[in-house]
Amino acid sequence: MNKLYIGNVSEQASAPDLESIFEQWKIPFSAPFLVKSGYAFVDCPDEKVAMRAIDTLSGKVELHGKVLEVEHSVPKRQRSCKLQIRNIPPHMQWEVLDGMLAQYGTVESCEQVNTDTETAVVNVRYAAKDQAREIDIHRKENAGAAEKPITVHSTPEGCSSACRNIMEIMQKEAIDTKITEEIPLKILAHNNFVGRLIGKEGRNLKKIEQDTDTKITISPLQDLTLYNPERTITVKGTLEACAKAEEEIMKKIRESYENDVAAMHLQSNLIPGLNLNALGIFPGAASGGMSPSVVSGPPAGPQVESETVHLFIPALAVGAIIGKQGQHIKQLSRFAGASIKIAPADELDTKQRMVIITGPPEAQFKAQGRIFGKLKEENFFGPKEEVKLEAHIKVPSFAAGRVIGKGGKTVNELQNLTSAEVVVPRDQTPDENDEVVVKITGHFYASQLAQRKIQEIISQVRRQQQPKASAAGPPVARRK
């Protein structure tokens, strides 16, 4: 690198001033000085001269009262990101500040600046933009396993650069330890994207193989589990070939991801009150190295209240839902983020058992969806038979009339819209919480849509009642 960057240049400095300094120290230059506001550039004949200029001048020579900073000029795409942060509270611990800075990239240096103010000031230098921002080696996961996944969070270029560096390290390690077997590149990708990566009749995958001179295989569908929806893409070839294949594979996966996110936004109101981002239908940044900026989080606002749904399943299916030593129901609970319990058997109904699910709408969707799916997988319903279950939700008695509507209009509209059977039993006595039961029967999506629509009606009724309650105000004591 022969081009030099000269920083901390005084506003009064000119090109002749800089030329005289270089001539004074007998440092040749091969082009005129380009002077900007506060900095300048110059070309040296070769790398050796450029290094001598840095060693001789940087931090040692003054011009118009300012000490010059001389370093290699770096292209914009490789340039480090420097910034200064002011007004840092004096009580803030450095560990907390380090944690906050690390959220935005790899910090190369963080130095405190001496000031006369009570608050602290630091100069922060981040790594170059095209470098990987974060590399996480999952050391503690799957202890004793022969392979460990590495997650890279960065731009597409940063991920590819990090991947190449990791492969170089692995190959060097293999040579040093005299491992003769081929070390392939393995990429984890969500199953949602794999079909589009393969393409019709395998055309996309074959093209990547031909263009990069690699052999690519994908793990079978049978390896997927409820809690691991990722498939392994194995790439074999030279280091250069694998690096090129990785770029092409990730490009295709990112396209699929972005198309799904766009489709998700178009359908965001498909099921009202449900945050589709939180469902895990569209994998997040950690899966397959997606850029976190693409994923939009849940909308800001008050925390969504937890709901309780009673889902009725065949009594014979209880063992399948609980699993051996309760493992399946525990995994399901963790996966969905919901409390899931099997109610004791009811002597009056020996054919069905009640599953009590408590959690926010997204947790309800995930938990109920997996229960519907498990019953189908375990053949509790025939091959051509649709899984239809009965779900009970409780609504405040003051909202029951709104769910039914005048002459049953609302409940009929609900049934037509959702394809679920919705029943509000007549002559119900409200329970101790002044709530009554609404029964919903249908396939999974019909049941979910009906549940969400009913919850929406309840929310509307509550919002309408709040102004009345606040307008009434507290009771005023009367004089006697």
Side-chain angles (χ1 to χ4, degrees):
M1 297 174 69
N2 305 343
K3 193 177 185 75
L4 292 178
Y5 165 85
I6 305 168
N8 203 33
V9 176
S10 169
E11 295 292 335
Q12 293 81 36
S14 62
D17 292 334
L18 293 168
E19 287 173 10
S20 65
I21 287 176
F22 271 64
E23 288 167 357
Q24 178 187 340
W25 292 94
K26 297 180 180 179
I27 300 170
F29 50 91
S30 57
F33 283 80
L34 178 63
V35 181
K36 300 284 187 179
S37 177
Y39 62 95
F41 297 101
V42 68
D43 288 333
C44 293
D46 55 43
E47 173 71 14
K48 193 173 180 181
V49 173
M51 287 300 299
R52 184 154 63 88
I54 293 170
D55 294 339
T56 305
L57 305 177
S58 188
K60 299 172 185 175
V61 176
E62 276 191 23
L63 178 61
H64 295 298
K66 286 194 167 186
V67 179
L68 298 177
E69 297 173 359
V70 184
E71 57 188 60
H72 287 296
S73 175
V74 181
K76 276 187 179 180
R77 61 186 177 81
Q78 297 177 5
R79 201 169 295 163
S80 294
C81 177
K82 300 177 185 176
L83 56 97
Q84 188 172 80
I85 303 175
R86 298 174 178 269
N87 297 325
I88 300 171
H91 56 78
M92 177 175 273
Q93 297 179 348
W94 284 104
E95 293 82 358
V96 176
L97 178 61
D98 288 342
M100 290 173 64
L101 295 174
Q103 294 177 24
Y104 301 98
T106 304
V107 178
E108 287 187 347
S109 63
C110 180
E111 299 172 352
Q112 186 168 3
V113 179
N114 293 324
T115 63
D116 297 329
T117 61
E118 291 183 2
T119 56
V121 177
V122 294
N123 287 333
V124 182
R125 181 194 292 266
Y126 279 101
K129 291 180 182 178
D130 64 344
Q131 290 182 354
R133 290 194 176 181
E134 181 184 346
I135 297 179
D136 180 15
I137 301 175
H138 303 262
R139 295 180 183 277
K140 295 181 181 180
E141 295 177 18
N142 301 322
E147 295 178 332
K148 298 281 184 183
I150 300 174
T151 303
V152 182
H153 301 271
S154 183
T155 60
E157 296 79 12
C159 285
S160 294
S161 176
C163 187
R164 182 189 290 267
N165 292 340
I166 291 166
M167 286 192 292
E168 287 172 355
I169 293 167
M170 289 171 62
Q171 292 210 356
K172 186 177 182 300
E173 182 72 15
I175 292 167
D176 292 345
T177 54
K178 297 179 180 178
I179 295 175
T180 55
E181 64 189 58
E182 186 178 13
I183 299 177
L185 168 66
K186 294 186 178 182
I187 302 169
L188 291 176
H190 198 282
N191 184 54
N192 285 4
F193 310 136
V194 170
R196 282 166 283 181
L197 170 65
I198 295 170
K200 190 175 181 181
E201 297 176 355
R203 288 172 192 167
N204 292 346
L205 209 58
K206 286 174 186 174
K207 188 176 188 306
I208 295 173
E209 286 182 318
Q210 290 167 2
D211 292 348
T212 60
D213 194 25
T214 54
K215 176 65 177 174
I216 304 173
T217 55
I218 298 176
S219 60
L221 280 167
Q222 288 82 351
D223 290 354
L224 294 177
T225 67
L226 166 60
Y227 308 102
N228 177 30
E230 293 175 320
R231 293 171 74 178
T232 304
I233 303 165
T234 303
V235 185
K236 292 184 178 181
T238 64
L239 191 148
E240 281 297 321
C242 286
K244 287 180 183 176
E246 181 272 335
E247 290 179 12
E248 293 300 318
I249 289 168
M250 291 311 301
K251 181 182 175 183
K252 195 69 186 172
I253 289 174
R254 283 188 190 96
E255 285 175 5
S256 302
Y257 173 80
E258 286 162 8
N259 289 340
D260 283 0
V261 170
M264 178 188 71
H265 289 316
L266 291 173
Q267 299 179 28
S268 58
N269 295 319
L270 185 64
I271 303 180
L274 197 65
N275 175 15
L276 298 180
N277 287 341
L279 297 180
I281 297 173
F282 304 99
S287 295
M290 301 302 165
S291 169
S293 62
V294 180
V295 184
S296 48
Q303 188 174 0
V304 179
E305 287 185 12
S306 186
E307 303 169 358
T308 298
V309 177
H310 295 166
L311 191 66
F312 291 83
I313 64 171
L316 295 174
V318 169
I321 299 300
I322 295 174
K324 190 176 181 181
Q325 296 180 334
Q327 286 301 308
H328 184 264
I329 199 167
K330 288 176 186 174
Q331 281 184 321
L332 179 55
S333 181
R334 283 195 297 269
F335 165 75
S339 166
I340 304 172
K341 297 176 181 176
I342 308 289
D346 187 348
E347 292 180 4
L348 299 176
D349 187 357
T350 56
K351 292 183 178 180
Q352 289 188 316
R353 289 284 291 276
M354 184 169 70
V355 183
I356 305 168
I357 306 167
T358 306
E362 295 75 32
Q364 292 286 349
F365 186 96
K366 290 163 107 174
Q368 293 180 47
R370 282 314 309 159
I371 290 171
F372 272 78
K374 185 71 173 174
L375 296 179
K376 186 70 173 179
E377 290 165 14
E378 298 289 338
N379 298 318
F380 288 100
F381 291 80
K384 295 182 180 179
E385 187 182 3
E386 197 168 30
V387 179
K388 289 187 177 181
L389 299 178
E390 184 177 312
H392 291 185
I393 60 174
K394 289 187 176 183
V395 304
S397 61
F398 59 78
R402 286 286 295 274
V403 173
I404 297 168
K406 190 174 181 180
K409 182 182 177 183
T410 305
V411 79
N412 288 334
E413 286 177 350
L414 270 174
Q415 294 186 128
N416 293 332
L417 175 69
T418 65
S419 300
E421 183 185 347
V422 181
V423 177
V424 183
R426 295 181 179 276
D427 303 325
Q428 283 191 76
T429 303
D431 63 13
E432 65 276 10
N433 297 317
D434 197 28
E435 292 179 325
V436 295
V437 171
V438 176
K439 297 180 180 181
I440 302 163
T441 306
H443 60 74
F444 172 65
Y445 284 102
S447 178
Q448 285 299 300
L449 187 53
Q451 288 176 43
R452 300 269 49 84
K453 285 289 186 183
I454 292 169
Q455 293 293 350
E456 190 179 32
I457 292 170
I458 295 169
S459 297
Q460 287 174 354
V461 174
R462 282 179 172 152
R463 282 196 298 270
Q464 289 169 358
Q465 286 204 337
Q466 281 175 354
K468 293 178 184 177
S470 57
V476 179
R478 296 183 179 181
R479 289 183 180 179
K480 293 184 179 180

